[in-house]
Amino acid sequence: MRIVSAIQPSGRLHLGNYFGALQKYIKVQEEGQALFFIADLHALTTVRNGQQLQEMTYGLALDYLAFGLDPKKTILFRQSDVLEHTELAWYLATVAPMGLLERAHSYKDKVIRGLFPSVGLFAYPILMAADILLYRADRVPVGKDQMQHLEIARDLANKFNTAYVLGYDASDPEGTKEGNAPGILTLPSPFFMKDESIVPGTDGAKMSKSYNNVIEIFADEAIITKKIMSIKTDSSSVIEPKDMRVSPIFALLQLLVTPSEMADIEESCRIGGKGYSTYKHRLLECFYETFRTVRQRRKELEGEKGYVKNVLNQGAERARQYASSTMEDIRKAVGTARK
Ligand code: AQP
């Protein structure tokens, strides 16, 4: 089983990235060959400072390692170190219908939020499809916000296979029925946790690095306190019952407390008598209970620049081997293979 996923170094790692992605990376890294990378090419759609991108790329490598991704087993690398990502993205762009991308809601959400509507941002799902298809991934651990992009990756794999593989039947992508041929590109499946949902930010919208609503896992204590204490609430008084849908505090608590504590919280909201600050303080405590050890481990790793660079270089070397094998088949099919 091949497992592929990535996070953009477009800001610092936040709770949404952890619960939507990293937590799953740690869980699945034992279940097959995992390739996890730092999507610096994607981050170029929002980061316009080369030095900052370098720093955030290195920072994300530290995050991966602090959380326990094992570079002996798992391949950790930087997207821009494997040039085949952009090459495959172009081939996929030539079979991608405009309408498919025009329906992508992430682009529209980001533009509404004021992000620059570049061609790169619009074409992000194509590069993401290339990221996954290049490694013939079977499983892709991503957050629920990426469901549509993963569907686009499957669509593009089908479009490519249909265009270039004689006897390919989209209803039988592995070519198991007689007369059908298997696709060159594997159709990936998402990997979600049971009852998983999108992690809300401090304002209740999707927690996102570009929305200024994140709770960063490795930020200084003062910033974390400020962010948690500023989570959106309504003006109900201490004694009033609390509607748990009004404030994202409760969805965040649910991620960090045990089910029995969550049941107590639900009951206390129903009867009232506790102010929002009580819940915020509990969230703060839970945050440190969950992340104290990784925060410490990341601090220790900060001085190990040589080691981290080595991990990324060796990871890129290994990733290129997988990528070049897929690209050989693709170039043959499209007619760009060197004779
Ligand atoms: N709020 C979220 N809830 C659940 N999962 C989330 N992820 C991100 N935010 C949430 C998951 O984290 C992984 C890496 O995301 P990314 O950094 O590559 O891009 P993103 O989804 O666009 O994350 P951001 O923070 O919103 O980044 P910007 O603002 O730079 O675009 C993915 O698996 C994603 O599902």
Side-chain angles (χ1 to χ4, degrees), residues 5-11 14 16-21 25 39 46 110 124 141-146 196-200 206-211 214:
S5 195
I7 299 177
Q8 299 183 63
S10 49
H14 56 73
N17 296 139
Y18 174 68
F19 286 104
Y25 297 178
T46 51
K110 287 190 167 167
Y124 170 115
V142 280
K144 276 281 167 83
D145 60 310
Q146 293 292 338
E196 181 175 337
S197 47
I198 293 176
V199 177
K206 177 198 148 183
M207 186 176 287
S208 175
K209 297 181 213 96
S210 26
Y211 297 171
V214 301

Side-chain angles (χ1 to χ4, degrees), residues 23 25 59 106 113 115 121 132 148 157 167 169 183-184 202 209 221 232 252 254 257 286 296 314:
Q23 184 191 38
Y25 297 178
S106 156
R113 286 274 190 157
L115 264 71
L121 190 66
I132 298 165
Q148 191 187 28
D169 178 346
I184 295 174
T202 51
K209 297 181 213 96
E221 290 189 12
K232 181 188 131 190
L252 293 170
Q254 184 147 27
V257 302
C286 294
Q296 181 57 36
Q314 286 179 3

Side-chain angles (χ1 to χ4, degrees), residues 165-187:
V165 180
L166 200 67
Y168 180 77
D169 178 346
S171 67
D172 177 26
E174 285 165 26
T176 52
K177 292 186 201 131
E178 209 179 311
N180 288 349
I184 295 174
L185 297 175
T186 305
L187 267 61

